[in-house]
Amino acid sequence: MDSSPETEPGFALGTPEPPKATPYRVLARKYRPQHFSDLIGQEAMVRTLSNAFDTGRIAQAYLFTGVRGVGKTTTARILARALNYELPGEVDRPSIHLDRPGTHCQAIMEGRHVDVMEIDAASHTGIDDVRQITDGARYAPVSARYKVYIVDEVHMLSEKAWNAFLKTLEEPPAHVKFMFATTEIRKVPVTVLSRCQRFDLRRVEADVLVNHLAGICEKEGVAVDPDALGLIARAGEGSVRDSLSILDQAIAHGAGEVTAENVRRMLGLADRARIIDLFEHVMKGDVAAAMAEFKSQYDDGADPEIVLGELAEFVHFVTRVKVAPAAADDVAFSETERSRGRDFAGRLSHRVLARAWQMLMKGIEEVARSPKPLASADMVLVRIAYAADLPTPDEALRMLADGSGAVGAGAAPRLPSGGGGGGGGGSAQAAAAAAAPRLSSVARPEGAPVAMREQAAPQAQPHMVLASFAEVIKLAAEKRDVRLKQQLEGDMHLVRCEDGRIDFRPTRNAAPTLAGDLQKKLTDWTGRRWVVTISSEEGEPTVRERLAAEQADRERGVLAHPAVQAVLAKFPGAEIVAVRPLDGGAEAEPAPLAPAAENDGEGDWEPVDPWDDDF
């Protein structure tokens, strides 16, 4: 007996096949924007495009630039959809109102429309690839209103490919639109930029990103901790796609529940509360407590480089709160970070925070290169904790000038020490007093004899005041620096000159290192720091130009003198070569040639013609 599917075991006549499982779509694709209103954080671009469509001022080419994941390609697709939007019997023109799907919308957003071509410039970099585009642009679209070319990562095109693009890009057919997307705008030729409307897509603000992620979690039915969203938004660094990818991973990691602890563990981040505790120990100068806390975090799996990076990020946050208190309202930070950040901002000075930041930046580089990251990070924390009890440079100078070890009333505030081992005990004033002898020795040049380093601080040099530019030129002459003197006189349009500062506009022939050379030499000659900057203001004429103008004025004045005119009249062809003072000294106004024959007693003088017969 012949068998058939209907009679074989496991089959029933008329039984439908089980439905196929729908493949999972990652959140970044599932919640990809479909309308201009879905684009978050790009309000300026959306407004410009909306006004352009309303007024019919639609450009021939667009260029979208920005960091990864901010929506460059998505914006190009939405724009292509708006250009080809069509509802039979209702809409037959480009429109940004895309509430209802049009005839071509679905195919365009899925990247399969025959008239909307997406090209990856990373794999199509040559002139032949561009020639295919320019040749195809001559033909009308098959079904849509416009033929649209979306070229992604356009900065990867070769120089020859760009040159082949220029003519078509400048004067494309009326039915063609070009859209370029790139993360490296500096690699795009200026000739291309001038032919496109450029839109710089911004990083999405953390609070906007947190609200966006919270809305997606609500749609997905995922329980999420607000602090976890803040961690994800910070890790995404303003990229929507990166943030959604991290959220996708966090949902899988927490089996449908997203908590701050799970996100920290997943990303390898340290506990923020423990980072703040470590920051407090370091700022108190409590080395033992700082090293113990850091070792505990390391034992729990924290990476030393990441810990120092998190510590630097909190230093930056405290500094921002101190400069702009409104920064403490950033929802990307937890309530603990915001409240304790306000507290530290009120108790620490700008100088202490800036010093901690610089030492952390240097320390992170050391840990990244070190074969023993744990030991290197320990030493970084020791240095910062030790420096927390040292006076800032202005306090050290004040102590040395006063000859005492006590910090004055203007001392920078520090956190009160919590005691403990490694140099954290005592008040800041006591630590500064103890540090005073060290400062006087550290200020010596390296390699100097020990006896010299142990001597008291030398007497300060007398203050050399250079209040005018003429005094600066005079000092250069006294130092026998002929080249600098010539540059001061002929290559500088002075904008401002005061003791310790010079602003100038260089001439076209001035040396490019003139400002740096002048600053270094003035600092060396006067024994104190000078600031020499290049200004964009017009400034005064150079000294050489001013002297030449004054000489020309004197020559014109002498030429107008009746006696000189009489000489020139008697000797045709004669000319004035130079005007010099009679005593050969400094330049002065020309003296009268002779006293008047009849003086009225009022001190008036009249020139006398030397060729007069009665003279």
Side-chain angles (χ1 to χ4, degrees), residues 395-407 433 436-437 440 456-457 459:
E395 297 170 4
L397 292 175
R398 190 182 304 114
M399 289 189 298
L400 293 175
D402 295 343
S404 63
V407 181
S440 61
Q459 295 295 326

Side-chain angles (χ1 to χ4, degrees), residues 248-328:
D248 225 340
Q249 183 180 353
I251 294 174
H253 181 80
E257 183 179 0
V258 181
T259 64
E261 183 62 30
N262 287 339
V263 172
R264 289 193 192 96
R265 190 177 295 110
M266 181 187 73
L267 297 178
L269 302 176
D271 188 341
R272 299 294 293 183
R274 298 182 66 180
I275 288 292
I276 299 174
D277 292 338
L278 178 61
F279 174 80
E280 184 171 12
H281 295 321
V282 170
M283 288 296 101
K284 286 181 177 179
D286 194 343
V287 181
M291 294 181 69
E293 175 59 36
F294 176 67
K295 184 63 166 58
S296 176
Q297 294 186 30
Y298 179 78
D299 293 339
D300 290 341
D303 183 87
E305 185 179 354
I306 292 180
V307 172
L308 293 186
E310 293 279 326
L311 197 60
E313 184 178 349
F314 187 71
V315 171
H316 172 249
F317 175 67
V318 174
T319 306
R320 286 185 59 202
V321 174
K322 188 170 186 66
V323 175

Side-chain angles (χ1 to χ4, degrees), residues 114-131:
V114 66
D115 290 324
V116 179
M117 286 146 283
E118 294 191 23
I119 302 163
D120 179 19
S123 56
H124 300 79
T125 62
I127 187 173
D128 292 335
D129 301 305
V130 173
R131 187 178 291 117

Side-chain angles (χ1 to χ4, degrees), residues 387-398:
D389 281 338
L390 292 177
T392 54
D394 59 331
E395 297 170 4
L397 292 175
R398 190 182 304 114

Side-chain angles (χ1 to χ4, degrees), residues 448-611:
V450 176
M452 180 183 298
R453 295 201 303 268
E454 293 176 352
Q455 292 176 357
Q459 295 295 326
Q461 295 293 332
H463 186 66
M464 181 184 295
V465 178
L466 300 176
S468 67
F469 194 57
E471 295 180 2
V472 175
I473 298 176
K474 181 180 178 182
L475 178 61
E478 292 175 355
K479 296 295 183 179
R480 299 182 181 275
D481 195 328
V482 179
R483 182 171 180 271
L484 180 61
K485 181 175 181 294
Q486 292 177 345
Q487 291 176 324
L488 293 173
E489 293 176 344
D491 295 340
M492 295 175 58
H493 295 280
L494 184 65
V495 175
R496 184 181 300 103
C497 180
E498 56 189 31
D499 190 33
R501 181 182 182 89
I502 293 177
D503 297 342
F504 73 96
R505 178 176 64 86
T507 63
R508 182 178 302 176
N509 298 324
T513 60
L514 176 56
D517 295 342
L518 178 58
Q519 177 172 308
K520 182 179 183 303
K521 290 181 179 181
L522 288 178
T523 300
D524 294 341
W525 292 342
T526 62
R528 56 194 177 82
R529 184 172 180 269
W530 275 71
V531 177
V532 179
T533 58
I534 295 177
S535 174
S536 59
E537 298 181 27
E538 185 68 21
E540 303 174 359
T542 65
V543 174
R544 198 169 297 161
E545 291 173 347
R546 180 171 53 81
L547 293 178
E550 293 175 356
Q551 178 72 6
D553 289 342
R554 282 194 290 271
E555 291 180 0
R556 285 192 295 269
V558 171
L559 183 61
H561 202 286
V564 176
Q565 290 181 354
V567 172
L568 295 177
K570 299 244 178 165
F571 294 92
E575 61 180 12
I576 298 176
V577 177
V579 179
R580 300 187 182 91
L582 295 178
D583 58 0
E587 295 178 351
E589 295 295 332
L593 298 179
E598 295 181 3
N599 194 329
D600 58 3
E602 298 296 331
D604 294 331
W605 296 85
E606 295 181 5
V608 177
D609 185 356
W611 304 103

Side-chain angles (χ1 to χ4, degrees), residues 80-394:
R81 178 188 172 192
L83 288 170
N84 291 312
Y85 189 66
E86 181 180 349
L87 284 175
E90 298 184 35
V91 180
D92 192 19
R93 61 183 297 272
S95 174
I96 63 168
H97 304 292
L98 310 174
D99 300 332
R100 289 183 294 167
T103 304
H104 310 284
C105 291
Q106 188 69 21
I108 291 175
M109 295 309 296
E110 293 178 0
R112 55 181 177 83
H113 197 284
V114 66
D115 290 324
V116 179
M117 286 146 283
E118 294 191 23
I119 302 163
D120 179 19
S123 56
H124 300 79
T125 62
I127 187 173
D128 292 335
D129 301 305
V130 173
R131 187 178 291 117
Q132 292 180 8
I133 297 176
T134 56
D135 290 345
R138 294 180 297 176
Y139 301 102
V142 176
S143 60
R145 184 180 300 111
Y146 291 104
K147 180 177 284 190
V148 180
Y149 290 92
I150 300 176
V151 186
D152 202 6
E153 301 301 334
V154 73
H155 62 274
M156 301 292 287
L157 291 178
S158 65
E159 182 180 356
K160 292 182 178 179
W162 276 125
N163 292 334
F165 229 139
L166 292 180
K167 187 61 179 177
T168 304
L169 189 60
E170 184 174 11
E171 298 178 358
H175 59 266
V176 174
K177 302 293 181 184
F178 291 100
M179 299 180 192
F180 302 138
T182 178
T183 55
E184 298 286 346
I185 190 64
R186 292 174 295 179
K187 296 182 180 180
V188 179
V190 178
T191 51
V192 174
L193 294 176
S194 64
R195 290 166 165 84
C196 303
Q197 279 197 8
R198 170 180 169 179
F199 292 96
D200 292 78
L201 277 66
R202 301 169 47 197
R203 293 179 186 268
V204 181
E205 298 291 339
D207 54 344
V208 177
L209 202 49
V210 166
N211 293 334
H212 181 63
L213 297 177
I216 291 178
C217 289
E218 183 178 355
K219 295 176 183 177
E220 293 289 315
V222 175
V224 62
D225 184 358
D227 290 345
L229 294 181
L231 291 173
I232 294 173
R234 284 211 301 271
E237 298 180 343
S239 169
V240 181
R241 184 177 60 227
D242 287 7
S243 300
L244 288 175
S245 299
I246 296 173
L247 177 61
D248 225 340
Q249 183 180 353
I251 294 174
H253 181 80
E257 183 179 0
V258 181
T259 64
E261 183 62 30
N262 287 339
V263 172
R264 289 193 192 96
R265 190 177 295 110
M266 181 187 73
L267 297 178
L269 302 176
D271 188 341
R272 299 294 293 183
R274 298 182 66 180
I275 288 292
I276 299 174
D277 292 338
L278 178 61
F279 174 80
E280 184 171 12
H281 295 321
V282 170
M283 288 296 101
K284 286 181 177 179
D286 194 343
V287 181
M291 294 181 69
E293 175 59 36
F294 176 67
K295 184 63 166 58
S296 176
Q297 294 186 30
Y298 179 78
D299 293 339
D300 290 341
D303 183 87
E305 185 179 354
I306 292 180
V307 172
L308 293 186
E310 293 279 326
L311 197 60
E313 184 178 349
F314 187 71
V315 171
H316 172 249
F317 175 67
V318 174
T319 306
R320 286 185 59 202
V321 174
K322 188 170 186 66
V323 175
D329 300 329
D330 192 344
V331 296
F333 294 88
S334 65
E335 180 59 33
T336 300
E337 292 175 278
R338 295 198 295 269
S339 60
R340 297 187 70 179
R342 291 190 188 95
D343 178 52
F344 288 130
R347 299 162 63 189
L348 294 171
S349 71
H350 293 284
R351 292 164 292 186
V352 172
L353 291 170
R355 181 170 59 191
W357 170 265
Q358 292 172 347
M359 298 179 75
L360 282 169
M361 289 296 100
K362 181 67 175 177
I364 291 173
E365 295 179 2
E366 293 178 2
V367 172
R369 297 192 306 264
S370 174
K372 296 184 177 180
L374 176 62
S376 298
D378 262 342
M379 296 306 297
V380 172
L381 295 177
V382 169
R383 290 201 300 269
I384 299 175
Y386 179 74
D389 281 338
L390 292 177
T392 54
D394 59 331

